[in-house]
Amino acid sequence: MYDFTSFTTWVHNALYSSMSPGWAMLIELAIVGIIFIAFYAVIGLYLVYAERKVCALIQNRKGPNRVGPLGLFQTIADLFKLLGKELIKIKNADQFLFNLAPFIVIIASFMAIAALPFAKGLHAIDLNIGIFYLFAVSSLGVIGILLAGWSSNSKYSLIGAIRSGAQVVSYELSVGLALLSVVIFSGSMQLSTIVESQANGWWIIKGHIPAIISFLIFLVASTAETNRGPFDLAEAESELTAGFHTEYSGIKFAFFFLAEYMNMFIVAAIASTVFLGGWMPFHLPGLDGMNHVMDYIPGFVWFLGKTAFIIFIMMWFKWTFPRLRIDQLLKLEWKYLLPLNLMNIVLIAFIVLMGWYIK
Amino acid sequence: MNIFKYFGEVFGAIRSLWAGMRVTGYYSIRPGKVVTQKYPENRKTLVIADRFKGEVIMTHDSNNQHTCNGCGICEMNCPNGSIEIISNKITNAEGKSERIIDKHIYHLSMCTFCGLCIKTCPSGSIKWGHDFEHAVFDRNKLTKVLNQPGSSIRKEIKEVKETKEA
């Protein structure tokens, strides 16, 4: 496995030896920022494309196929269209909060990708409380959604925002508890340590039944947390026109749209990091030849592949199930997911205590 | 609440959700069954169903003859006045006064495609055409004259009617 630490330390030393430490740090920050902005834009746009294609496949349609080969440039054209649109000024809206809200949403998702380990040694910051940080930052987005709904001076926006608040506050618990199961297994909150602990097998395999239960709970709860279908009550096209972003137009709307898809990428990346081994290649004990071939595939390919797999599952059930009602949504969380999750945590603690997982 | 009922509900839910996902998953891996078509490219091979209501047309035979005698039933039956018939009175070879149509005017812009005109036409001279690309830049182009210029009425209407009834 290629270790990116050598590359990053080389860049670091080259910068620090050629200029003053202050400038070197500034340039490092700028490089990381530019890389992440480019990554953000590309991933956000192509997830929109992927969603439209997956939806088309499920509904026996062709999907976007006009702009570029296989319609690959469709979403880029959409972005330019949105850039050219007028930013409509809403009467009696709280202008400051109205303009601030999309930035809060997009910054919240931007902060989360900083902590993701893309490959060995390839992450912006490796906090020793990585999971805690991700969990905290990903719940910041709801503030932006609430502000957007409140400041728009529209009943649809307000209803959407309140729904989103109720939904995110309750599903946060399940996401946290599901991630806690892997923290118990690996004994660490640092994402790099969690990935290293899966070198001899992913947690979903090593942790067998309880890990699979918490993986499924994580999938459901994180889909709800990102306001995606079938839990998209916050935007609910058929009831609330577009929920909290009804009044937004042009590039501000595009920010919400991009942030939604980026949040999906982030939760899929978290799921693949903690449950499916992150950038760790797939190894089977005893088959040294195959394990050796697997090692040649670079880490970020493994990481992005697993993330894409989970994103596909999330799209798959978005286009399968109808939207839940708000009472069904809260019942699902408080009556089923949370009690099951708590029981599962106790079970995992017992299993780890007795050493009944695959070591 | 009974604990067995609770877990029964959970497993039942998982089973029914999986059943739904199996259906959509089955469709997603069968791109050969795609039902949408690439429209402007497939104009040559486009199949339009017989019952398709594109526009009202008048059938003409190879001698540029139609069967419309200008009775005006279609004009009367049209709920929104999309049809106007301008007819002339001429004297035929036998010295009798006879009505022939000058212009059978059809306003496509007002038509709701209800089909009452075609259903009630006693001589079967108008029917549904299958053309559907009606977009034009000038609204006046949507007002069409259905009888072709220089066309005349075919005389054997009566016989056709009688044989049909017999």
Side-chain angles (χ1 to χ4, degrees):
Chain A
M1 243 342 40
Y2 179 71
D3 192 349
F4 279 91
T5 328
S6 58
F7 176 70
T8 46
T9 42
W10 176 74
V11 173
H12 182 79
N13 291 336
L15 279 172
Y16 271 75
S17 61
S18 59
M19 58 189 79
S20 67
W23 277 108
M25 197 180 77
L26 208 64
I27 287 179
E28 277 183 359
L29 288 177
I31 291 173
V32 172
I34 287 169
I35 288 172
F36 273 142
I37 286 176
F39 179 77
Y40 197 100
V42 170
I43 291 285
L45 287 177
Y46 277 93
L47 280 181
V48 178
Y49 172 77
E51 166 123 276
R52 290 177 64 178
K53 273 289 186 197
V54 169
C55 162
L57 275 179
I58 285 174
Q59 300 174 346
N60 278 353
R61 293 185 287 113
K62 273 188 166 41
N65 55 22
R66 294 288 156 167
V67 191
L70 291 171
L72 274 172
F73 304 134
Q74 177 67 53
T75 45
I76 296 172
D78 286 348
L79 177 75
F80 281 113
K81 180 200 75 176
L82 284 170
L83 277 171
K85 288 230 168 177
E86 184 191 356
L87 292 172
I88 297 163
K89 207 169 174 235
I90 310 296
K91 263 186 207 159
N92 299 326
D94 188 331
Q95 287 300 329
F96 176 68
L97 293 183
F98 187 74
N99 292 330
L100 183 69
F103 291 99
I104 291 182
V105 171
I106 212 158
I107 286 170
S109 60
F110 210 87
M111 280 161 82
I113 52 174
L116 295 176
F118 289 92
K120 196 179 172 78
L122 193 68
H123 38 206
I125 185 162
D126 187 19
L127 298 161
N128 56 357
I129 48 161
I131 283 198
F132 190 64
Y133 169 80
L134 278 178
F135 182 51
V137 160
S138 64
S139 55
L140 272 181
V142 72
I143 297 175
I145 292 175
L146 280 172
L147 281 185
W150 172 252
S151 63
S152 295
N153 189 32
S154 154
K155 52 181 176 289
Y156 295 126
S157 301
L158 190 59
I159 293 171
I162 298 294
R163 279 184 181 185
S164 173
Q167 181 180 336
V168 173
V169 166
S170 34
Y171 277 83
E172 204 88 287
L173 292 166
S174 283
V175 173
L177 287 173
L179 289 178
L180 203 59
S181 62
V182 172
V183 174
I184 296 174
F185 272 130
S186 63
S188 169
M189 277 190 150
Q190 192 168 5
L191 286 166
S192 59
T193 318
I194 290 175
V195 177
E196 293 290 351
S197 71
Q198 305 181 63
N200 58 342
W202 305 346
W203 276 123
I204 199 165
I205 299 165
K206 286 204 296 182
H208 51 90
I209 297 166
I212 292 170
I213 293 174
S214 38
F215 178 67
L216 291 178
I217 290 175
F218 181 81
L219 267 187
V220 174
S222 63
T223 312
E225 209 201 334
T226 52
N227 286 329
R228 274 181 59 77
F231 309 101
D232 57 346
L233 290 110
E235 20 193 291
E237 292 92 347
S238 46
E239 311 154 26
L240 300 176
T241 58
F244 62 92
H245 57 60
T246 306
E247 305 294 338
Y248 284 87
S249 61
I251 196 66
K252 286 190 220 161
F253 166 74
F255 276 3
F256 279 116
F257 209 62
L258 276 185
E260 187 194 325
Y261 282 92
M262 209 56 209
N263 283 332
M264 181 171 72
F265 175 80
I266 287 162
V267 294
I270 295 172
S272 69
T273 304
V274 300
F275 291 105
L276 302 182
W279 43 263
M280 277 291 170
F282 183 67
H283 280 175
L284 279 175
L287 294 169
D288 285 336
M290 193 194 81
N291 293 350
H292 206 62
V293 171
M294 291 294 189
D295 281 340
Y296 275 109
I297 302 172
F300 56 86
V301 173
W302 277 107
F303 174 77
L304 291 177
K306 289 167 189 173
T307 309
F309 170 70
I310 289 173
I311 287 173
F312 174 73
I313 292 180
M314 290 170 77
M315 288 176 178
W316 184 5
F317 63 70
K318 169 167 182 170
W319 293 106
T320 305
F321 304 132
R323 185 184 304 129
L324 273 74
R325 225 165 44 214
I326 186 78
D327 63 313
Q328 293 169 335
L329 180 94
L330 295 177
K331 192 172 147 193
L332 174 68
E333 162 65 16
W334 295 105
K335 213 172 152 189
Y336 294 100
L337 290 188
L338 194 63
L340 285 175
N341 220 336
L342 288 169
M343 281 188 260
N344 198 30
I345 289 280
V346 174
L347 182 67
I348 286 172
F350 187 69
I351 281 175
V352 171
L353 184 72
M354 303 303 282
W356 285 347
Y357 62 96
I358 305 162
K359 291 189 187 88
Chain B
M1 191 183 177
N2 190 341
I3 190 81
F4 294 108
K5 203 181 152 203
Y6 179 82
F7 280 105
E9 270 178 27
V10 170
F11 284 113
I14 292 172
R15 206 169 45 237
S16 78
L17 291 179
W18 174 242
M21 286 182 70
R22 223 172 40 219
V23 172
T24 47
Y26 171 81
Y27 280 117
S28 72
I29 55 171
R30 262 166 187 69
K33 275 188 173 178
V34 167
V35 289
T36 45
Q37 304 175 358
K38 285 199 168 187
Y39 156 59
E41 289 90 341
N42 73 348
R43 271 212 190 94
K44 294 273 187 303
T45 56
L46 203 59
V47 181
I48 302 281
D50 270 347
R51 64 170 189 263
F52 180 70
K53 297 173 173 181
E55 60 174 338
V56 176
I57 55 168
M58 186 176 283
T59 47
H60 289 73
D61 61 11
S62 50
N63 304 327
N64 199 15
Q65 283 184 322
H66 55 77
T67 54
C68 177
N69 56 8
C71 63
I73 288 176
C74 53
E75 186 181 6
M76 277 193 291
N77 276 312
C78 183
N80 37 19
S82 319
I83 294 176
E84 279 176 67
I85 294 170
I86 300 171
S87 49
N88 273 345
K89 278 230 154 62
I90 56 158
T91 315
N92 62 5
E94 297 154 24
K96 279 181 183 171
S97 169
E98 192 185 13
R99 182 183 59 202
I100 60 157
I101 57 167
D102 183 23
K103 276 177 180 169
H104 187 294
I105 299 170
Y106 167 53
H107 297 280
L108 179 58
S109 52
M110 290 197 273
C111 182
T112 57
F113 304 94
C114 63
L116 285 178
C117 51
I118 289 160
K119 225 173 237 172
T120 52
C121 181
S123 52
S125 57
I126 50 175
K127 63 167 194 172
W128 285 118
H130 291 167
D131 190 13
F132 58 94
E133 293 166 327
H134 292 312
V136 286
F137 284 101
D138 185 2
R139 198 201 304 196
N140 295 328
K141 283 183 184 158
L142 291 175
T143 301
K144 301 181 179 188
V145 178
L146 292 190
N147 53 329
Q148 288 170 8
S151 59
S152 57
I153 185 164
R154 199 159 64 229
K155 283 297 173 193
E156 63 274 7
I157 310 165
K158 276 245 161 64
E159 291 143 41
V160 171
K161 274 293 230 191
E162 274 158 15
T163 46
K164 207 190 254 175
E165 275 161 16

